Amino acid sequence: MRLSNDQTTLRSEFADDPDMVGIVALFIHELPQRLAAMHVAIAAADHDQLRMLAHQLKGAAGGYGFPKLGEAAALVDQAVRAGNDDNVIRSRVGMLAAIAARIRP
Amino acid sequence: MTALPLTLPKVLAIDDSVLIHRLLQVRLQHEQIQLFGATSADVGIKMARELRPDVVLLDIELDLKNQGMDGFGVLQVFKADPDLQEVSVIFISATATMEERVRALDMGASDFVAKPFEIVELQARVRSALRVQHLVKMLAQKAQVDGLTGLWNRTYFDRRLTQEVGEAIRHNRSLSLVMCDVDGFKKLNDERGHPFGDKVLERLSRILQTGRGSDIACRYGGEEFGIILPNTVGSEAIEVADRYRRAIEQEIWPSVPGMVITASFGVADVFVLPGTPTIEDFISTADAALYRAKVNGRNRVEAAVAMHLPG
């Protein structure tokens, strides 16, 4: 997958919007915890929790200027909702994490 | 009384994601609104009942995790609540299909915004919902206000009096009604012309609004006014009516030097009435007292008889 090999950094589309700087920084700061929570949910086979986490990211990421992250979260949401097996879900969370890793303040 | 409250309109956002609340706080911070947030259906409904918001931003996929009430459920609760059914609801959703959007609008939602938000669009849709809400409120109020005097009209008077009588009986609280009629108004109209008569009604209405904040002054019809006095016993109501009477008598009419205009008043305390009183009984009791004030020489306050005389 090309996306996961792409190492270019991602910055928020709103990085230069003074109104947004604070909550974008908070969003980036909290992102590792959100991903960790997803991994915990997968390990616990708690699909409702995983879906909620993915769904929230899907709805919000674009608003913080990270549409790619939102699209990747939508794929996780979709996989959980469709009842895909854990390998598919894990791989999609992996893609989401790869995009998150490229995000810089 | 005709102006709407000067406080900023209230917008309540109901969404289970704190990320969305933070975003809305920032993105709507320059709008002329007060923004409130709730992260669950239950809290959202409770807050809506307390705050009476003008606009609600409502997430469809609320509480995915607990499979609790979703946005449609919340909208249903609003539509069944007389205090909330007029609230403008803007649905927000990250996934809504066309069918869901149609369902939301059919259920009475006023608009729909997709997540992630296009900021300018979100702001415009909130402003648009507020404009509609403002007009709805204005129309609702206009339908209850008398055009000439700015007092509450007869429709409002009947509705409010019914409500107040019910409250007084339920909670054993006092309640009085004052009916007021301008003395010799027909003659005034005939001699000075209708524009002057209108002016008299306007000025008297302004005087009737100078009472205690809790008094509810209404134009009952023609030159007759009804003032509802919650939590007021008959003897207090007599004093209130007499203050109005003196203020009217002392009013100066610059266009007609030396002229004195007076009014007569009839007072009734709801507990004078036997059994469970209807508002018709209540009004006619106060009216009978008003009639006696006229018969006994005008420019007087008379109270319903049973208030002072046993039997």
Side-chain angles (χ1 to χ4, degrees), chain B residues 114-176:
Chain B
K115 278 194 277 190
F117 308 126
E118 291 296 338
I119 303 316
V120 182
E121 183 192 356
L122 172 71
Q123 291 162 347
R125 288 193 189 275
V126 169
R127 281 197 294 266
S128 155
L130 286 170
R131 271 197 300 276
V132 172
Q133 198 57 22
H134 182 77
L135 290 174
V136 167
K137 274 191 179 173
M138 235 166 55
L139 281 175
Q141 202 183 50
K142 236 191 170 124
Q144 302 181 335
V145 170
D146 176 60
L148 174 67
T149 61
L151 294 182
W152 297 112
N153 65 16
R154 174 70 182 273
T155 310
Y156 181 86
F157 174 81
D158 286 348
R159 196 167 58 76
R160 185 67 186 265
L161 189 60
T162 308
Q163 194 184 324
E164 294 294 339
V165 168
E167 295 268 305
I169 292 167
R170 249 194 316 284
H171 305 291
N172 198 32
R173 281 207 298 251
S174 49
L175 170 69
S176 290

Side-chain angles (χ1 to χ4, degrees), chain A residues 23-31 57 61 64 66 69, chain B residues 19 22:
Chain A
I23 62 167
V24 168
L26 188 57
F27 180 84
I28 295 171
H29 177 74
E30 289 177 351
L31 200 49
L57 211 48
Y64 287 82
F66 299 109
L69 192 69
Chain B
L19 290 173
R22 281 184 203 151

Side-chain angles (χ1 to χ4, degrees), chain A residues 16-27:
Chain A
D16 299 322
D17 182 340
D19 284 349
M20 291 293 290
V21 171
I23 62 167
V24 168
L26 188 57
F27 180 84

Side-chain angles (χ1 to χ4, degrees), chain B residues 2 5 46 54 59 62 64 66-67 94 109 140 154 170 185 202 204 209 213 250 271 294 299 311:
Chain B
T2 46
K46 193 163 162 274
D54 298 278
D59 184 26
L62 263 178
L64 272 179
N66 302 315
Q67 313 280 308
R154 174 70 182 273
R170 249 194 316 284
F185 188 71
E202 281 175 63
L204 263 49
Q209 281 176 298
Q250 284 159 16
F271 291 110
K294 293 278 187 189
N299 192 20

Side-chain angles (χ1 to χ4, degrees), chain A residues 34-35 37-38 41 47-61 69-81 89 92-93 96, chain B residues 19 64 94-95:
Chain A
R34 288 184 192 279
L35 288 166
M38 284 190 188
H47 284 186
D48 286 341
Q49 171 75 2
L50 179 60
R51 192 179 161 213
M52 184 199 72
L53 291 165
H55 190 85
Q56 291 190 345
L57 211 48
K58 168 189 166 189
L69 192 69
E71 288 159 22
L75 290 175
V76 176
D77 180 32
Q78 205 179 63
V80 180
R81 209 160 18 131
I89 294 171
R92 292 195 177 178
V93 172
L96 177 68
Chain B
L19 290 173
L64 272 179
T95 40

